[in-house]
Amino acid sequence: MEELEPQDIAQETPAEDVFIAPSVRDTEVLAGASYTYHSPIPSVIQKDLSTECVLGVDEAGRGPSRPTAVEADDPGAMVYGLCYLPLSSHKSLLAEKHHFDDSKVLTPKVRSNLMEALCTPGTDLFESCGWATRVMSARDIASEMLKPLGAYNLNAQAMDATIQLIKEIFTLGVNVQDIYIDTIGKEEVYQKKLERIFPTTKITVAKKADSLYPCVSAASVCAKVTRDAALEVAYQAYHSSSENPQSSAAAWGSGYPSDAKAVTWLKQNMDPLFGWGNECRFSWRTAKDMLEANGNGIEATWPDLNDDPHVMRLTDFYVTALAKGDDEPEDELSMWYGKPVAESVF
């Protein structure tokens, strides 16, 4: 389990007045659905699609990076963010002018302000930068990871989301020359896979890429603010029907088990049969322990109908008297529309 320092917990906790970006779709968020959002191609690039661009990808909501606990300590949705802009303004615009950095280093308020600038027409960020997000809902992540056979692990889900986002940018006609990505697992393995898929593009996969390459830093901000805002939308469904005086998603805390606020919220809002809503990843170890190991949940046993000889399948009603012996009585339901006849009749 990853232990966070108090200042780190504060950084991971959603801002109280987070900017609600257009990448946050209330209907999908509340339904627990995964979805993708793309900003319009920025005017600087749209005017000349041959403009050479750089692209960065990063995520928010994955949890700790240690292979033994990559999914253990962050319960909600995971969001992948992507940002692209002309190579010529990569460092000067993002790093030198707007001071983009790893979203975990920036304060929630700064992250929110940068995201708002990216979305506001007339700003240099809006005119030069395009971005996209893939919201992987907690419900869908857990559903794939908890399959009894052929579980779709978090690494594979994350890699597929990254590849799909990049492919969609190429489909738009953007001339991407360089790609920078924060690593999933071993850098060299991930990079070779991406190089096979995008053979004409220079690709760099690195640890802490969000603090090394400005476009990845911007992608990190897109992912983090989208996730914070999605949590805010989801939280309102609880707040509107509860007596909780705290009206923002900050009441949820950071989502890490070392954050007492996050764990307390889970305990106070757990249904013993259904657990929580679509905002909680049921494959998260802390959630599983609350429901199973600690004896707080109600166990449900689902019978296998195929093993019960007294339960009829729908297809059983289509068995005709032709398949029975002459001395067996006809089934009234199977003969409802009459007896079948041979082709010779026609």
Side-chain angles (χ1 to χ4, degrees), residues 99-111:
H99 308 292
F100 275 90
D101 202 339
D102 175 9
S103 68
K104 301 180 190 66
V105 175
L106 303 173
T107 66
K109 185 62 176 177
V110 170
R111 289 196 303 254

Side-chain angles (χ1 to χ4, degrees), residues 25 28-29 31-36 78 134-141 157:
R25 297 174 178 168
E28 283 89 340
V29 169
S34 300
Y35 65 92
T36 300
M78 182 165 69
R134 173 64 182 171
V135 176
M136 302 164 64
S137 74
R139 183 196 66 182
D140 290 347
I141 290 173
Q157 292 184 53

Side-chain angles (χ1 to χ4, degrees), residues 108-263:
K109 185 62 176 177
V110 170
R111 289 196 303 254
S112 184
N113 290 342
L114 287 171
M115 188 65 177
E116 187 170 6
L118 276 168
C119 300
T120 303
T123 66
D124 51 1
L125 289 175
F126 181 87
E127 301 300 329
S128 298
C129 301
W131 58 280
T133 55
R134 173 64 182 171
V135 176
M136 302 164 64
S137 74
R139 183 196 66 182
D140 290 347
I141 290 173
S143 175
E144 296 291 354
M145 293 192 67
L146 294 175
K147 285 182 176 179
L149 297 173
Y152 186 19
N153 69 47
L154 194 64
N155 273 355
Q157 292 184 53
M159 193 172 295
D160 289 346
T162 299
I163 292 169
Q164 185 58 36
L165 274 177
I166 297 172
K167 284 182 175 180
E168 289 167 1
I169 298 301
F170 277 105
T171 300
L172 293 174
V174 178
N175 181 21
V176 178
Q177 293 295 305
D178 293 353
I179 296 176
Y180 297 95
I181 300 176
D182 200 34
T183 189
I184 301 172
K186 294 182 178 180
E187 302 99 303
E188 62 274 13
V189 174
Y190 190 17
Q191 182 163 322
K192 286 180 180 179
K193 179 173 182 175
L194 291 171
E195 287 172 344
R196 289 195 297 270
I197 299 172
F198 307 106
T200 62
T201 308
K202 178 185 174 183
I203 296 174
T204 301
V205 177
K207 292 181 179 178
K208 300 294 182 181
D210 46 3
S211 60
L212 298 174
Y213 307 105
C215 60
V216 182
S217 303
S220 177
V221 168
C222 293
K224 181 62 177 169
V225 174
T226 294
R227 187 173 188 269
D228 284 355
L231 286 171
E232 181 67 33
V233 169
Y235 183 78
Q236 296 309 314
Y238 279 95
H239 177 68
S240 60
S241 60
S242 71
E243 298 178 357
N244 192 329
Q246 191 159 354
S247 60
S248 77
W252 273 345
S254 65
Y256 283 79
S258 55
D259 182 357
K261 183 185 291 185
V263 175

Side-chain angles (χ1 to χ4, degrees), residues 205-320:
V205 177
K207 292 181 179 178
K208 300 294 182 181
D210 46 3
S211 60
L212 298 174
Y213 307 105
C215 60
V216 182
S217 303
S220 177
V221 168
C222 293
K224 181 62 177 169
V225 174
T226 294
R227 187 173 188 269
D228 284 355
L231 286 171
E232 181 67 33
V233 169
Y235 183 78
Q236 296 309 314
Y238 279 95
H239 177 68
S240 60
S241 60
S242 71
E243 298 178 357
N244 192 329
Q246 191 159 354
S247 60
S248 77
W252 273 345
S254 65
Y256 283 79
S258 55
D259 182 357
K261 183 185 291 185
V263 175
T264 298
W265 188 91
L266 285 172
K267 290 179 178 178
Q268 292 177 345
N269 292 274
M270 187 188 85
D271 182 279
L273 181 60
F274 297 104
W276 301 271
N278 292 320
E279 73 289 337
C280 186
R281 201 182 300 176
F282 282 70
S283 54
W284 183 43
R285 186 172 59 206
T286 304
K288 291 175 69 177
D289 287 346
M290 285 187 185
L291 282 170
E292 299 173 1
N294 298 336
N296 297 319
I298 298 174
E299 183 177 357
T301 302
W302 303 101
D304 186 350
L305 298 182
N306 292 324
D307 293 338
D308 189 343
H310 301 293
V311 176
M312 295 185 69
R313 302 184 183 89
L314 180 62
T315 53
D316 291 340
F317 294 107
Y318 301 122
V319 177
T320 69

